[in-house]
Amino acid sequence: MGQNHLRVLSMLNSVQLAFIHDADPALEARLSALYGTPAARDLDQALAAADAVVIATPTSTHLQYIERVAPYVRKLFVEKPLAATLPETEAVHRYVEERGLLVQVGFIERFNPAVQVLKKVIKDSSRVLSVDFTRTNKLSTRITDVDVITDLMIHDVDLALFMNGPVREVSAHGTREGDMIDFASALLTHSNGRFTRIQASRVTEKKMRNIQATCMDMFVDCDLLRKEVQI
């Protein structure tokens, strides 16, 4: 994901790439040459000259890198999930609050045009009963440290909160292959009475990113890949 962020940032006229840093020296050197961006031999010195930082490292290292960057840079983009566990996430939150940092987590689906339209449509509905999310993708070889919940489902958990507000009850189940959960299904009951059903799979060959909203006055079918909304 770090390489994806680097590629996109390199195309933005409003951004000047100050440095890159990677634990793999060979990869760091290759990317430095490819994008004409200095590799940070002294990370502290490089951070002191930066306005913002993208952290796209293994989830288990997010907290330590946030603490490493914070003395120098206040504006951070951190790949999702924010941290590996709830206690770690709470520790990050406390640290961010204490330091007055501006942190954005990589929940990019909030900015999908189809999601923006869907949120407005269901806001204007007379009554929303349920919002259903389906997200499937064959297991990526680059994903080795997180399961389907933290890899895929977390986007839709975020969207469920974004559209339907706080949750008062969760019911969920899943199946695992080895140490990782590869298929998961969850039912969220929200404080406002709405329901969210979420299904995420890394065993399904077909790639799907769908949201369907059942309302008293309409049914909304949303395809996030095609960025289409049908009412």
Side-chain angles (χ1 to χ4, degrees):
M1 283 306 297
Q3 295 184 56
N4 288 337
H5 289 302
L6 185 58
R7 175 181 55 81
V8 172
L9 288 170
S10 71
M11 296 187 293
L12 299 179
N13 293 330
S14 58
V15 172
Q16 180 181 350
L17 291 171
F19 71 90
I20 59 172
H21 177 71
D22 197 279
D24 180 349
L27 177 60
E28 183 184 70
R30 181 173 68 80
L31 294 175
S32 175
L34 180 62
Y35 291 99
T37 304
R41 291 184 175 87
D42 184 330
L43 186 56
D44 294 314
Q45 184 178 353
L47 286 168
D51 298 315
V53 170
V54 172
I55 298 175
T57 60
T59 302
S60 58
T61 67
H62 284 179
L63 175 56
Q64 71 186 62
Y65 274 110
I66 291 171
E67 291 176 338
R68 179 79 183 275
V69 169
Y72 305 98
V73 182
R74 290 185 61 248
K75 300 173 184 177
L76 311 178
F77 179 97
V78 183
E79 254 309 321
K80 58 85 187 169
L82 181 59
T85 65
L86 179 58
E88 270 192 24
T89 304
E90 291 171 335
V92 172
H93 184 261
R94 286 193 300 271
Y95 188 81
V96 167
E97 290 287 300
E98 290 167 1
R99 293 276 179 152
L101 305 179
L102 298 174
V103 176
Q104 182 169 16
V105 185
F107 290 123
I108 58 172
E109 289 286 33
R110 285 195 182 200
F111 305 97
N112 187 313
V115 169
Q116 296 288 325
V117 170
L118 177 63
K119 182 174 172 63
K120 182 179 185 304
V121 166
I122 64 175
K123 181 181 177 182
D124 294 338
S125 170
S126 62
R127 186 183 172 196
V128 180
L129 300 177
S130 174
V131 182
D132 300 339
F133 297 84
T134 303
R135 187 175 295 261
T136 69
N137 199 18
K138 191 64 177 173
L139 180 62
S140 169
T141 55
R142 68 177 174 80
I143 304 295
T144 58
D145 64 331
V146 292
D147 60 18
V148 72
I149 298 166
T150 358
D151 178 26
L152 296 181
M153 182 181 272
I154 193 169
H155 276 297
D156 296 322
V157 172
D158 177 65
L159 291 180
L161 297 170
F162 182 53
M163 293 184 183
N164 294 332
V167 172
R168 71 167 185 260
E169 188 176 347
V170 177
S171 173
H173 70 272
T175 59
R176 70 170 70 234
E177 291 292 332
D179 295 331
M180 293 287 183
I181 297 173
D182 290 325
F183 177 91
S185 179
L187 173 64
L188 312 181
T189 304
H190 295 267
S191 300
N192 61 6
R194 296 180 182 179
F195 297 96
T196 296
R197 295 183 298 183
I198 308 176
Q199 182 170 293
S201 171
R202 292 199 304 203
V203 299
T204 306
E205 290 285 350
K206 184 177 181 181
K207 185 175 182 178
M208 292 185 285
R209 303 279 190 276
N210 299 327
I211 309 175
Q212 295 177 319
T214 302
C215 311
M216 290 298 292
D217 52 350
M218 71 180 89
F219 179 80
V220 188
D221 194 357
C222 183
D223 188 322
L224 301 188
L225 293 176
R226 295 180 180 176
K227 296 179 174 61
E228 293 178 351
V229 178
Q230 293 184 338
I231 303 170

